[in-house]
């Protein structure tokens, strides 16, 4: 009989634990206060411009592709509460690319869930619900469901 190591492998910072239902509830609150629905992807540029007005501490920085260090597709900097996006990802998202939209809502999830880089000692092995990346993925998935879109669905826009 083979016994597998049951320790969770963190993908991000260890944060205060939130289970699926807690993250889903916060995502639902987020979608309600911002009136996110199936029309949101067709007006994503306007939505992203409104976010810093609604959340004055949030900054969204669209970085020129020539200046982007392609270590990651996008990132949230909790120190100055800035979501950094390469121009290419932003353009793909506003034109309906599912994966790009999901990445943007993942980064918004880091902000909305209050993720911060902190140092702490914990003698217990980490759990999935303590992983900032898992939480942000879950947040993004819930928001995408509120928009009634999935990776299989194709978008059509009337310009």
């Amino acid at each position: 009989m083979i016994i597998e190591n049951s320790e969770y492998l963190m993908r991000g910072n260890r944060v205060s634990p939130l289970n699926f239902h807690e993250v889903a509830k916060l995502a639902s609150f987020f979608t309600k206060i911002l009136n996110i629905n199936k029309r949101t992807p067709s007006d994503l540029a306007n939505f992203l411009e409104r976010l810093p007005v609604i959340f004055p501490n949030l900054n969204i920085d669209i970085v020129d592709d020539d200046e982007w260090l392609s270590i990651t597709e996008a990132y949230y900097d909790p120190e100055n509460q800035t979501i950094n996006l390469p121009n290419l990802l932003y353009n793909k998202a506003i034109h309906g690319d599912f994966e790009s939209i999901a990445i943007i809502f993942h980064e918004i999830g880091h902000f909305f869930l209050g993720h911060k880089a902190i140092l702490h000692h914990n003698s217990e092995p980490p759990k999935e619900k303590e992983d900032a990346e898992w939480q942000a993925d879950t947040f993004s998935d819930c928001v995408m469901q509120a928009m009634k879109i999935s990776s299989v669905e194709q978008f059509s826009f009337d310009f």
Side-chain angles (χ1 to χ4, degrees), residues 10-18 23 26 76-82 105-118 128-140:
M10 298 287 283
R11 295 183 299 126
N13 292 326
R14 193 171 194 169
V15 294
S16 295
L18 292 172
V23 174
L26 290 168
Y76 172 67
D77 181 353
E79 189 169 313
N80 58 19
Q81 296 183 309
T82 300
F105 281 107
H106 170 99
E107 300 307 330
I108 291 170
H110 283 302
F111 168 78
F112 200 75
L113 297 169
H115 292 162
K116 296 187 184 326
I118 58 171
E128 180 180 66
K129 64 185 181 179
E130 298 172 309
D131 186 351
E133 294 305 309
W134 176 85
Q135 288 182 9
D137 283 347
T138 302
F139 180 91
S140 179

Side-chain angles (χ1 to χ4, degrees), residues 25-68:
K25 187 174 181 178
L26 290 168
S28 176
F29 176 71
F30 175 79
T31 60
K32 283 185 178 126
I33 63 171
L34 294 176
N35 194 30
I36 294 173
N37 55 48
K38 64 182 178 180
R39 291 182 301 276
T40 302
S42 64
D43 198 18
L44 192 62
N46 184 45
F47 173 82
L48 291 173
E49 285 179 23
R50 284 190 351 228
L51 268 182
V53 174
I54 297 165
F55 300 106
N57 294 336
L58 176 63
N59 303 296
I60 297 178
D61 188 14
I62 311 298
V63 179
D64 187 51
D65 293 329
D66 294 338
E67 297 175 19
W68 186 257

